[in-house]
C-alpha cells in the first residue's frame, strides 16, 4: 500500500486525498490550521460556489491563464463528477444564474462537512496545526518524507502540494508551498492578486459608495504603453492607437470607498496586467455602459421622451426615470449641463453628449487592491515544471501539485473551485498509479 501525504486541507487537498484513498493508498493530510477548508468557508460570500454547471468545453474560454494545461484534469474529473460526489454523500445542490452551483442550504460549511465525512469513511488521517516545512528527497531526486512542525519526519511514497496561493492570508495562504517548491528547483511565476477590485483615479466615484448597478456592461480597455491621454487618444508617436479591449462583460458592479468592485469588475481584473512583455507600465480605462440594452439611437429617443414629458422642468429634476437617485448628481456634474437649465432649452448637441456619457462612462484604473481582498492568486508553480497528464513535478519524482498553487486561474462563477477539484483528483489518482 502506497503512503501518500497531502499538504493542505482545502478544496484541492481534500479532493486529492479522496482520490488517492479511493485508489487504495494510505493517506495523511497535513493542515497548518485548526480546521479544514478555511477558504472554502468564505467563498461565494459564505455560500460556496462549488462549480459551474456549463458544458466543460466552455470552461476553457473562462480560464485566461493555463487553459491548455488543464485539459486532461478538467475532462478527467469534470463538474458533473464533483456534483455527483457531493449529492451522493448527502449534500444537495442547486444551480443559479450563470450556471453557478451552490449547496441548497446556502452554507459553505455543508460542503466542508460532506468532504470531511467522505475522508473519514476512507480512513484518511488529518493532522491539524501541523505545518509541513520541508520535503526530503533521495539520491534519485524522488520524495521520501515530509518534515512538519508537530510530527517531525513522516515517510511518504508520494507528496501532493495543495497549499494555495497568497489570497486571503488569514485562511493560511501564506506562500509556504511556493517557498518549498522554489527551493526544490521549481520556477514560481510572479504572484499577483486576481479577481480583485480596482482603485480608480476620478474623485466622483466616492459619491457613489455603496451603489450597486445591475444589468450594466463593462469594457476594460488596455491603453498602448505610450498613451497618456484618455481612451483611444493619440499616443506619443502621434498616430492614432487602436483600442485594445481585453474584457467585455455584462452583469453587476459596485462602487466602493476606493473605486469599483462586484462580479463584473472582479472578472475583468483577470485580464489586468501592470506591465507589458517589455516591462513598460500599462494603463487601463473602464468603459461603463449604463444602458447596454439600448443602442445610442434608441437611448436618444428614450431621453427625448423623458425630456418631452417634463419639458418645463429643470434638468436636475428630470432624471429619476433614468438612474438610481444616488447616481443623478454625478451624471449631472459629468454632463456639463447647467442643473437649473429647463429641458426645453437643452440643445441637440448637449443631449447627444449626455446620451454618449450614459453609454460610455469612463473610469481610469490606478491599480488593484491587495491579496487581502483578492479571491484568487495569479501566478504560482510554472506549468512548464508540471506534467499536465498527471500533475507530477518534472523536477522531483513523486511530487505532485494541485489547486491554486499552480500558475492557472479563471473568472468568477465556480471555475476556480472546479480547477481545484479537477487538479486535486488527477494528482491523487496519479500519486497512487504512477
Amino acid at each position: 500500500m502506497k503512503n501518500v501525504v497531502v499538504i493542505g486541507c482545502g478544496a484541492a487537498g481534500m479532493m486529492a486525498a479522496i482520490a488517492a484513498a479511493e485508489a487504495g493508498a494510505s493517506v495523511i493530510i497535513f493542515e497548518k490550521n485548526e480546521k479544514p477548508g478555511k477558504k472554502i468557508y468564505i467563498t461565494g460570500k459564505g455560500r460556496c460556489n462549488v462549480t459551474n454547471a456549463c458544458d466543460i468545453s466552455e470552461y476553457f474560454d473562462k480560464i485566461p491563464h493555463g487553459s491548455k494545461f488543464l485539459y486532461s484534469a478538467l475532462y478527467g474529473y469534470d463538474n458533473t463528477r464533483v456534483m455527483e460526489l457531493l449529492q451522493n454523500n448527502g449534500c444537495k445542490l442547486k444551480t443559479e444564474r450563470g450556471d453557478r452551483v451552490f449547496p441548497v442550504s446556502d452554507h459553505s460549511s455543508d460542503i466542508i462537512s460532506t468532504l470531511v465525512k467522505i475522508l473519514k469513511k476512507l480512513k484518511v488521517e488529518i493532522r491539524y496545526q501541523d505545518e509541513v516545512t520541508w520535503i526530503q528527497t533521495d539520491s534519485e531526486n524522488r520524495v521520501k518524507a515530509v518534515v512538519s512542525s508537530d510530527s517531525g519526519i513522516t515517510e511518504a511514497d508520494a507528496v501532493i502540494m495543495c497549499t494555495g496561493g497568497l489570497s486571503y492570508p488569514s485562511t493560511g495562504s501564506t506562500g509556504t508551498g511556493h517557498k518549498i517548491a522554489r527551493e526544490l528547483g521549481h520556477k514560481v511565476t510572479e504572484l499577483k492578486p486576481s479577481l480583485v477590485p480596482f482603485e480608480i483615479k476620478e474623485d466622483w466615484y466616492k459619491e457613489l459608495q455603496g451603489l450597486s448597478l445591475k444589468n450594466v456592461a463593462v469594457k476594460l480597455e488596455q491603453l498602448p504603453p505610450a498613451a497618456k491621454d484618455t481612451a483611444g487618444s493619440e499616443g506619443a508617436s502621434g498616430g492614432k492607437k487602436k483600442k485594445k479591449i481585453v474584457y467585455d462583460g455584462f452583469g453587476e458592479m459596485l462602487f466602493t470607498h476606493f473605486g469599483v468592485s462586484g462580479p463584473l469588475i472582479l472578472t475583468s481584473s483577470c485580464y489586468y496586467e501592470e506591465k507589458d512583455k517589455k516591462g513598460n507600465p500599462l494603463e487601463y480605462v473602464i468603459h461603463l455602459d449604463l444602458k447596454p440594452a439600448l443602442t445610442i439611437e434608441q437611448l436618444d429617443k428614450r431621453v427625448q421622451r423623458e425630456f418631452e414629458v417634463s419639458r418645463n422642468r429643470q434638468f436636475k429634476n428630470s432624471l429619476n426615470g433614468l438612474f438610481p437617485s444616488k447616481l443623478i448628481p454625478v451624471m449631472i456634474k459629468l454632463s456639463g449641463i447647467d442643473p437649473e437649465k429647463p429641458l426645453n432649452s437643452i440643445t441637440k448637441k448637449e443631449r447627444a453628449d449626455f446620451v454618449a456619457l450614459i453609454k460610455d462612462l469612463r473610469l481610469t484604473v490606478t491599480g488593484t487592491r491587495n491579496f487581502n481582498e483578492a479571491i484568487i492568486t495569479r501566478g504560482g508553480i510554472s506549468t512548464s515544471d508540471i506534467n499536465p497528464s498527471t500533475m507530477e513535478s518534472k523536477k522531483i519524482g513523486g511530487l505532485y501539485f494541485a489547486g491554486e498553487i499552480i500558475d492557472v486561474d479563471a473568472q468568477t462563477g465556480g471555475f476556480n473551485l472546479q480547477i481545484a477539484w479537477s487538479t486535486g483528483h488527477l494528482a491523487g489518482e496519479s500519486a497512487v498509479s504512477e
Side-chain angles (χ1 to χ4, degrees), residues 336-379:
I337 299 172
D338 180 356
E340 313 289 328
K341 193 169 189 176
L343 291 177
N344 55 17
S345 300
I346 289 176
T347 66
K348 187 177 180 181
K349 183 181 185 308
E350 284 175 325
R351 191 185 74 236
D353 289 346
F354 185 54
V355 167
L357 176 69
I358 298 169
K359 293 291 289 179
D360 187 9
L361 189 56
R362 300 183 184 192
L363 301 113
T364 308
V365 178
T366 57
T368 66
R369 301 294 279 177
N370 61 27
F371 281 109
N372 289 321
E373 296 176 49
I375 293 175
I376 58 162
T377 304
R378 185 194 304 179

Side-chain angles (χ1 to χ4, degrees), residues 83 94 171 186 219 309 340 350 388 411:
M83 290 187 277
K94 61 181 176 180
T171 64
H186 299 86
K219 290 181 181 177
V309 169
E340 313 289 328
E350 284 175 325
Q411 297 181 10

Side-chain angles (χ1 to χ4, degrees), residues 208-252:
L208 302 178
Q209 182 179 337
L211 176 65
S212 177
L213 296 176
K214 294 181 179 179
N215 302 318
V216 295
V218 159
K219 290 181 181 177
L220 182 65
E221 180 191 0
Q222 182 189 95
L223 304 181
K228 296 295 178 188
D229 206 350
T230 54
S233 64
E234 290 189 353
S237 62
K240 188 88 169 176
K241 298 285 185 178
K242 189 178 178 183
K243 284 187 178 185
K244 183 179 180 183
I245 303 298
V246 295
Y247 174 75
D248 187 349
F250 173 86
E252 186 176 343

